[in-house]
Amino acid sequence: MALLDLPIELLAALPPFLHNIEDFTNAASSCRALRLGFSLVEPPTILQLASRSAPTFFSPHPWFLVLATARQVSDWALGDKTRTQELREAFQGGMQGLLDLCFRVCGITMDDIRRLHLARFSLINPLANKLDQIAGNDWYAAEDFWNGGVSDAWTVDCHPQRAAFQIMIYWELFGSTLRAFFTPELNLPKFDLQTRLDFIKYCIPDWICDGGYPGFEVLPVGPYHPDAKEKEKLPVDQVALHHILSGGRWERLWKAARAEVGPDFEGDWRQEMWKCAFLSFGLESMEIVKDVKITSNVDKRFLVSNTIQPDPILTVAWHQRLSEIRGQIARLDAVTQKPLTTVIGIGRQNRVSQAPNMGAETYLCMARFF
């Protein structure tokens, strides 16, 4: 019996034995029988085949595939204590540990792969280019850098593409938690602060975070394990992210889009939630600023025009979505519905909201630097 004489169900069982996703796509395009059989393959199998093609086709690895599955693993764990604990343990294995959990509980389709590869050019690469202008080599190349050429000159070791993935993955994981704070009457499930801090500690490692500080525990696991390869040369990714997320250029990148929906809030907690709301859709959020230009407050053109982006930024769909969110934040009761805060640290203490805020939480992880 020839291969193509096999029943469709048996042909559909072949892909787990293929070498990688290239073999899968090549075989599926070779004839009608294999195309039909392979169309029945489950998403977890496609994810495993994709992982065997990384990092060639899914770089940077493992960040690209984690981004592809982060929302799935978040939905899988949200509201379940046992699964949330599994997720925290996966975080402690670093980004590879998180990807290993995604392999067990997630999957992707070929349509997902096509969509993500289109997003690489339309959203991911433009975001990385913007971060390069905020804290990368492009930023350092500004004329008179140390003498007023930029408003926030500092020594930062930033890898813009990696930082872009870190920001998007955080919000793919925890964006639904932030949005749950907008409608407290629904009592939607949320990831707590410690779960989110575990992600930043171990999946965005930094030598400054290694060992923690009084009142802030960092375990010697994952990238901080004494025998870990990364331990020898830990990056300073938390410092880079703090510089990006607290800097003026990042603020100006989003400011005009916020203004199209309505004025900023007076009062720190509502304004912080409003700023984070724009990021809370992860990869999708980057559609908002894909065409917005990075500006410096010492840019003469910016000062003359007194505007960041003269043309409308938001599509009608985004304007409607964000207007609804702004209304939800505005209606929150300042006494009964304001997110609670937690004090972290002994001696040196920092207060942080229970609502997700990547910038504030990153600062906690590297607070001993300051």
Side-chain angles (χ1 to χ4, degrees), residues 182-249:
F182 303 156
T183 53
E185 68 278 4
L186 299 180
N187 197 29
L188 297 173
K190 310 176 187 73
F191 287 116
D192 64 15
L193 175 62
Q194 292 303 324
T195 299
R196 303 195 306 268
L197 288 176
D198 275 355
F199 171 77
I200 297 174
K201 289 177 191 176
Y202 304 106
C203 294
I204 310 177
D206 194 305
W207 67 267
I208 293 168
C209 185
D210 187 11
Y213 54 88
F216 187 83
E217 182 181 42
V218 178
L219 301 173
V221 297
Y224 305 115
H225 190 280
D227 297 329
K229 185 184 299 184
E230 308 99 300
K231 175 77 172 178
E232 299 177 2
K233 193 176 181 181
L234 287 168
V236 284
D237 285 359
Q238 292 172 15
V239 173
L241 278 176
H242 175 260
H243 178 80
I244 290 168
L245 298 174
S246 63
R249 291 190 174 198

Side-chain angles (χ1 to χ4, degrees), residues 288-351:
I288 298 172
V289 293
K290 66 178 182 179
D291 296 320
V292 180
K293 306 301 182 185
I294 291 291
T295 61
S296 166
N297 66 354
V298 296
D299 189 315
K300 294 181 180 178
R301 292 168 298 175
F302 173 73
L303 293 174
V304 169
S305 65
N306 198 31
T307 185
I308 297 176
Q309 186 81 5
D311 300 320
I313 296 170
L314 297 174
T315 63
V316 172
W318 271 114
H319 196 283
Q320 291 175 343
R321 181 188 293 187
L322 293 166
S323 294
E324 180 181 357
I325 288 176
R326 193 184 188 285
Q328 292 171 340
I329 296 173
R331 289 190 294 270
L332 292 175
D333 184 85
V335 176
T336 62
Q337 295 179 324
K338 176 182 177 181
L340 299 176
T341 59
T342 301
V343 174
I344 300 292
I346 298 173
R348 179 190 293 272
Q349 296 184 328
N350 293 282
R351 186 174 294 275

Side-chain angles (χ1 to χ4, degrees), residues 21-288:
I21 198 71
E22 300 100 285
D23 287 354
F24 177 85
T25 55
N26 290 337
S29 62
S30 65
C31 67
R32 182 179 302 174
L34 288 179
R35 182 169 68 251
L36 179 59
F38 285 14
S39 69
L40 303 176
V41 173
E42 295 294 324
T45 299
I46 295 178
L47 177 59
Q48 289 289 344
L49 290 169
S51 72
R52 298 172 197 168
S53 295
T56 304
F57 293 101
F58 299 94
S59 63
H61 183 68
W63 292 271
F64 192 95
L65 289 177
V66 171
L67 178 64
T69 51
R71 193 170 300 189
Q72 289 183 58
V73 78
S74 173
D75 292 342
W76 171 82
L78 190 61
D80 186 298
K81 291 184 178 180
T82 301
R83 290 181 174 182
T84 297
Q85 183 57 37
E86 285 187 60
L87 182 62
R88 291 187 64 178
E89 291 171 359
F91 289 159
Q92 292 173 11
M95 200 64 79
Q96 184 61 51
L98 176 55
L99 182 59
D100 291 342
L101 177 62
C102 293
F103 285 153
R104 290 200 291 112
V105 303
C106 302
I108 56 175
T109 65
M110 291 304 299
D111 284 341
D112 291 332
I113 291 175
R114 296 183 188 100
R115 176 179 58 84
L116 284 165
H117 276 285
L118 287 174
R120 178 191 293 279
F121 299 102
S122 63
L123 301 177
I124 299 172
N125 287 351
L127 175 62
N129 290 338
K130 289 176 173 64
L131 298 188
D132 193 29
Q133 296 173 59
I134 293 174
N137 290 335
D138 201 351
W139 176 62
Y140 272 117
E143 187 177 357
D144 295 325
F145 178 83
W146 293 109
N147 298 296
V150 298
S151 60
D152 50 358
W154 200 38
T155 302
V156 180
D157 183 12
C158 175
H159 296 261
Q161 188 181 61
R162 191 163 70 214
F165 276 92
Q166 290 163 346
I167 292 169
M168 291 184 290
I169 290 170
Y170 174 94
W171 287 111
E172 288 284 333
L173 289 168
F174 306 123
S176 62
T177 293
L178 175 67
R179 295 191 296 275
F181 280 94
F182 303 156
T183 53
E185 68 278 4
L186 299 180
N187 197 29
L188 297 173
K190 310 176 187 73
F191 287 116
D192 64 15
L193 175 62
Q194 292 303 324
T195 299
R196 303 195 306 268
L197 288 176
D198 275 355
F199 171 77
I200 297 174
K201 289 177 191 176
Y202 304 106
C203 294
I204 310 177
D206 194 305
W207 67 267
I208 293 168
C209 185
D210 187 11
Y213 54 88
F216 187 83
E217 182 181 42
V218 178
L219 301 173
V221 297
Y224 305 115
H225 190 280
D227 297 329
K229 185 184 299 184
E230 308 99 300
K231 175 77 172 178
E232 299 177 2
K233 193 176 181 181
L234 287 168
V236 284
D237 285 359
Q238 292 172 15
V239 173
L241 278 176
H242 175 260
H243 178 80
I244 290 168
L245 298 174
S246 63
R249 291 190 174 198
W250 179 259
E251 163 66 11
R252 288 187 291 276
L253 180 62
W254 299 89
K255 185 175 182 179
R258 293 202 308 269
E260 287 186 13
V261 182
D264 285 344
F265 290 97
E266 294 182 7
D268 292 342
W269 66 275
R270 279 197 177 90
Q271 180 63 10
E272 287 303 311
M273 294 178 80
W274 178 225
K275 287 181 179 181
C276 291
F278 278 72
L279 296 164
S280 68
F281 298 95
L283 173 62
E284 190 182 0
S285 286
M286 302 311 149
E287 293 175 0
I288 298 172

